[in-house]
Amino acid sequence: MRRNWAARLRHVTIDGLRAVVLENERLRVTVVPGKGGDVVEFLYKPTDTDFVWLSPQGLRDPHDHLQGAADDVAQFVDHYEGGWQEIFPSGGAPSEYRGARLAQHGEVAGLPWACEVVADSEEEVAVRLSVRTRRLPYRMEKVFRVRSGTAALEIEGRATNESGLRLPAMWGQHIVYGRPFLRPGARIRLPEGVTVIPHASAINPDGRRVEAGGPWEWPRVPAAQGGETDLSVVQEPGSPSDIVYLTGFNEGWYEISGDIGMRVEWDATLLPYLWMWQELGASTGYPWWGRVYTVGLEPFSSMPTDGLAAAVANGTALILDPHETKVLRLRAEVVE
């Protein structure tokens, strides 16, 4: 029965793409099965605060964008609306593994996922999304669930190796935060004992925030310009772009907060890294053109952001045995 109260869901169309809205008294979450199962809205109703960053270019259907030079980076970026993506089976730069060429951030973020309703009551609503990769023999599923009375999204993801071979993968949650929630001075909290591994090189030719080398102890680390920088504090617009990898989690959680906050909890034995991407307007070339103010806090199985072949080479790739299924449970909740 259609409801306008308690837990409820709607099937809608956004910019020509099929989407589903899961909501309750406190939270509204919009998911786009037609493009990667992306989360494009995470709205906390009491303060009308959307946590996800939305790209200036907006939501685009990959099927409608057929022009331009062939480019394995642009395949992801040209259709990147911000929000929250599932990253699998490769993370970061284009990569080649055993003859399979993988574009920026792998395969599943650009594919249409099947969607079915698995719960629809006043107490809870849930949908199950599923897709098969095309370059490697994997099947992915994820269930999004919202329960009445909570300000939390629960996700259960499954990655299945459908071959008789032992295969590697990178699995990540590309969660990025933006205005109006994100602002200078917002704080990031992590468990005790986390260490910081800088990316080997700067991601912006104009410089970086964190000095290369390490690992350093969170949150105060050597700054590239000398002195220290506190990674737990979100910087002003125009601050240097950077990406670092956080590890050493005895518990998988973080909180990011300004006036209100978000707490994300996950299984750190499966995803032992947290990628911290900072793009605060300093990158003035393609694809950002100085228009971006966002911080990504992204649980990942592996590092760095150089694709699957690099993760295999450094031993951080997730390994799935023949016909094995890995299960990831994650919870994102608004905290006041």
Side-chain angles (χ1 to χ4, degrees):
M1 182 183 74
R2 184 181 179 94
R3 291 182 305 283
N4 293 321
W5 65 90
R8 65 266 198 192
L9 61 81
R10 299 279 187 274
H11 295 279
V12 300
T13 300
I14 302 175
D15 296 329
L17 288 160
R18 59 192 173 94
V20 60
V21 180
L22 300 94
E23 66 180 309
N24 62 15
E25 307 89 339
R26 304 178 67 194
L27 191 67
R28 185 170 71 232
V29 176
T30 300
V31 177
V32 185
K35 183 194 171 293
D38 292 3
V39 176
V40 297
E41 180 185 38
F42 197 108
L43 182 83
Y44 184 56
K45 293 181 179 181
T47 60
D48 196 32
T49 302
D50 191 8
F51 285 81
V52 301
W53 173 68
L54 298 176
S55 162
Q57 69 190 21
L59 182 63
R60 297 171 172 174
D61 186 340
H63 293 99
D64 293 339
H65 186 64
L66 304 177
Q67 304 301 316
D71 184 326
D72 284 341
V73 173
Q75 184 172 320
F76 177 86
V77 173
D78 285 358
H79 310 104
Y80 176 49
E81 77 287 354
W84 175 349
Q85 286 76 36
E86 192 89 24
I87 303 299
F88 193 92
S90 182
S95 180
E96 183 171 330
Y97 176 73
R98 294 175 65 175
R101 290 189 58 183
L102 300 166
Q104 178 84 12
H105 283 320
E107 298 193 67
V108 300
L111 294 176
W113 293 52
C115 179
E116 61 176 324
V117 176
V118 293
D120 184 5
S121 71
E122 294 180 25
E123 290 74 36
E124 65 174 10
V125 289
V127 293
R128 178 186 293 114
L129 277 59
S130 60
V131 70
R132 281 186 168 88
T133 55
R134 298 176 179 179
R135 300 288 171 93
L136 275 76
Y138 286 112
R139 174 180 170 82
M140 299 290 293
E141 294 184 358
K142 54 184 173 182
V143 175
F144 292 96
R145 189 178 309 274
V146 171
R147 303 180 193 271
S148 178
T150 71
L153 172 66
E154 301 170 35
I155 300 176
E156 181 177 284
R158 293 176 177 267
T160 300
N161 176 2
E162 294 195 313
S163 80
L165 304 174
R166 195 167 185 259
L167 291 176
M170 297 177 78
W171 193 358
Q173 302 296 314
H174 194 277
I175 309 171
V176 297
Y177 299 93
R179 293 187 174 106
F181 163 69
L182 190 72
R183 57 173 175 77
R187 293 276 178 171
I188 299 165
R189 291 184 57 238
L190 301 178
E192 295 291 332
V194 168
T195 57
V196 180
I197 304 172
H199 191 61
S201 58
I203 61 172
N204 183 354
D206 293 332
R208 60 190 301 170
R209 180 179 177 189
V210 179
E211 182 181 322
W216 319 114
E217 184 178 342
W218 169 272
R220 295 185 177 276
V221 301
Q225 297 80 16
E228 284 189 335
T229 185
D230 187 347
L231 287 174
S232 69
V233 181
V234 176
Q235 301 295 288
E236 297 287 336
S239 298
S241 308
D242 212 344
I243 186 166
V244 299
Y245 311 100
L246 311 174
T247 192
F249 288 87
N250 50 35
E251 300 175 290
W253 65 266
Y254 69 76
E255 291 182 1
I256 178 170
S257 59
D259 297 329
I260 59 173
M262 173 86 87
R263 181 181 175 94
V264 177
E265 301 174 350
W266 74 96
D267 179 0
T269 62
L270 187 63
L271 307 186
Y273 298 95
L274 182 68
W275 294 13
M276 182 179 179
W277 172 46
Q278 304 159 84
E279 182 50 69
L280 305 174
S283 296
T284 56
Y286 176 83
W288 311 126
W289 306 112
R291 300 185 297 170
V292 173
Y293 187 82
T294 188
V295 169
L297 292 170
E298 310 167 20
F300 255 90
S301 65
S302 320
M303 59 160 283
T305 181
D306 290 334
L308 180 59
V312 170
N314 69 20
T316 64
L318 184 67
I319 302 299
L320 285 87
D321 288 329
H323 306 291
E324 181 185 6
T325 296
K326 300 280 191 187
V327 179
L328 172 65
R329 292 179 177 87
L330 184 146
R331 178 183 175 93
E333 183 170 12
V334 179
V335 292
E336 293 194 68

